[in-house]
Short mmCIF file of all heavy atoms in Angstrom, two decimals:
data_model
loop_
_atom_site.label_atom_id
_atom_site.label_comp_id
_atom_site.label_asym_id
_atom_site.label_seq_id
_atom_site.Cartn_x
_atom_site.Cartn_y
_atom_site.Cartn_z
N ARG A 31 32.08 -8.57 -11.24
CA ARG A 31 31.57 -9.71 -10.48
C ARG A 31 31.01 -9.25 -9.14
O ARG A 31 29.96 -9.69 -8.71
CB ARG A 31 32.70 -10.72 -10.27
CG ARG A 31 32.31 -11.98 -9.51
CD ARG A 31 31.21 -12.73 -10.20
NE ARG A 31 30.95 -14.05 -9.62
CZ ARG A 31 29.81 -14.69 -9.74
NH1 ARG A 31 28.80 -14.14 -10.40
NH2 ARG A 31 29.65 -15.89 -9.20
N ARG A 32 31.74 -8.36 -8.52
CA ARG A 32 31.32 -7.80 -7.24
C ARG A 32 29.96 -7.13 -7.36
O ARG A 32 29.06 -7.37 -6.55
CB ARG A 32 32.38 -6.79 -6.80
CG ARG A 32 32.17 -6.21 -5.44
CD ARG A 32 33.22 -5.13 -5.15
NE ARG A 32 33.00 -4.52 -3.86
CZ ARG A 32 33.37 -5.07 -2.71
NH1 ARG A 32 33.96 -6.26 -2.71
NH2 ARG A 32 33.11 -4.47 -1.57
N GLU A 33 29.79 -6.31 -8.38
CA GLU A 33 28.52 -5.59 -8.57
C GLU A 33 27.39 -6.55 -8.93
O GLU A 33 26.24 -6.35 -8.54
CB GLU A 33 28.67 -4.52 -9.65
CG GLU A 33 29.33 -3.26 -9.12
CD GLU A 33 29.89 -2.37 -10.22
OE1 GLU A 33 29.42 -2.50 -11.37
OE2 GLU A 33 30.80 -1.57 -9.92
N GLU A 34 27.75 -7.57 -9.67
CA GLU A 34 26.78 -8.61 -10.03
C GLU A 34 26.24 -9.27 -8.76
O GLU A 34 25.03 -9.46 -8.60
CB GLU A 34 27.52 -9.65 -10.88
CG GLU A 34 26.68 -10.44 -11.85
CD GLU A 34 27.60 -11.35 -12.68
OE1 GLU A 34 28.40 -10.80 -13.47
OE2 GLU A 34 27.54 -12.59 -12.50
N LEU A 35 27.15 -9.60 -7.86
CA LEU A 35 26.75 -10.24 -6.61
C LEU A 35 25.90 -9.30 -5.75
O LEU A 35 24.92 -9.73 -5.13
CB LEU A 35 28.00 -10.69 -5.83
CG LEU A 35 28.80 -11.83 -6.47
CD1 LEU A 35 30.13 -12.04 -5.75
CD2 LEU A 35 27.99 -13.13 -6.47
N LEU A 36 26.27 -8.03 -5.77
CA LEU A 36 25.48 -7.06 -5.00
C LEU A 36 24.07 -6.93 -5.56
O LEU A 36 23.10 -6.80 -4.81
CB LEU A 36 26.18 -5.69 -4.99
CG LEU A 36 27.38 -5.56 -4.05
CD1 LEU A 36 27.99 -4.17 -4.19
CD2 LEU A 36 26.97 -5.83 -2.60
N ALA A 37 23.95 -6.96 -6.89
CA ALA A 37 22.63 -6.86 -7.51
C ALA A 37 21.77 -8.06 -7.16
O ALA A 37 20.58 -7.93 -6.87
CB ALA A 37 22.78 -6.73 -9.02
N ILE A 38 22.40 -9.24 -7.15
CA ILE A 38 21.68 -10.46 -6.78
C ILE A 38 21.22 -10.38 -5.33
O ILE A 38 20.07 -10.69 -4.99
CB ILE A 38 22.58 -11.70 -6.99
CG1 ILE A 38 22.78 -11.95 -8.49
CG2 ILE A 38 21.99 -12.93 -6.31
CD1 ILE A 38 23.88 -12.97 -8.81
N ALA A 39 22.12 -9.93 -4.47
CA ALA A 39 21.79 -9.80 -3.05
C ALA A 39 20.67 -8.78 -2.85
O ALA A 39 19.72 -9.02 -2.08
CB ALA A 39 23.03 -9.39 -2.26
N ALA A 40 20.76 -7.65 -3.55
CA ALA A 40 19.75 -6.60 -3.40
C ALA A 40 18.37 -7.11 -3.77
O ALA A 40 17.38 -6.86 -3.07
CB ALA A 40 20.12 -5.40 -4.27
N ALA A 41 18.29 -7.87 -4.87
CA ALA A 41 17.00 -8.40 -5.31
C ALA A 41 16.42 -9.35 -4.25
O ALA A 41 15.22 -9.31 -3.97
CB ALA A 41 17.16 -9.12 -6.64
N LEU A 42 17.28 -10.16 -3.66
CA LEU A 42 16.80 -11.09 -2.63
C LEU A 42 16.42 -10.37 -1.34
O LEU A 42 15.39 -10.69 -0.73
CB LEU A 42 17.88 -12.15 -2.35
CG LEU A 42 18.04 -13.19 -3.46
CD1 LEU A 42 19.30 -14.02 -3.24
CD2 LEU A 42 16.81 -14.09 -3.54
N PHE A 43 17.24 -9.40 -0.93
CA PHE A 43 16.90 -8.61 0.26
C PHE A 43 15.55 -7.94 0.08
O PHE A 43 14.73 -7.88 0.99
CB PHE A 43 17.97 -7.54 0.52
CG PHE A 43 19.30 -8.08 0.98
CD1 PHE A 43 20.45 -7.31 0.83
CD2 PHE A 43 19.41 -9.33 1.57
CE1 PHE A 43 21.70 -7.79 1.26
CE2 PHE A 43 20.65 -9.81 2.00
CZ PHE A 43 21.79 -9.04 1.84
N ALA A 44 15.32 -7.42 -1.13
CA ALA A 44 14.07 -6.72 -1.41
C ALA A 44 12.88 -7.67 -1.36
O ALA A 44 11.83 -7.35 -0.84
CB ALA A 44 14.14 -6.05 -2.78
N GLU A 45 13.10 -8.87 -1.89
CA GLU A 45 12.00 -9.82 -2.03
C GLU A 45 11.63 -10.47 -0.70
O GLU A 45 10.46 -10.61 -0.36
CB GLU A 45 12.41 -10.91 -3.03
CG GLU A 45 11.30 -11.88 -3.38
CD GLU A 45 11.87 -13.12 -4.08
OE1 GLU A 45 12.85 -12.98 -4.84
OE2 GLU A 45 11.35 -14.22 -3.82
N LYS A 46 12.64 -10.88 0.04
CA LYS A 46 12.39 -11.66 1.26
C LYS A 46 12.66 -10.91 2.55
O LYS A 46 12.38 -11.43 3.63
CB LYS A 46 13.28 -12.91 1.25
CG LYS A 46 13.20 -13.74 -0.01
CD LYS A 46 14.43 -14.64 -0.17
CE LYS A 46 14.60 -15.58 0.98
NZ LYS A 46 14.26 -16.97 0.66
N GLY A 47 13.22 -9.74 2.43
CA GLY A 47 13.66 -9.02 3.63
C GLY A 47 15.10 -9.36 3.94
O GLY A 47 15.55 -10.47 3.66
#
Side-chain angles (χ1 to χ4, degrees):
Chain A
R31 181 59 171 157
R32 185 184 178 79
E33 279 162 22
E34 206 175 293
L35 292 171
L36 283 178
I38 290 168
L42 287 169
F43 290 159
E45 186 195 325
K46 308 160 59 106

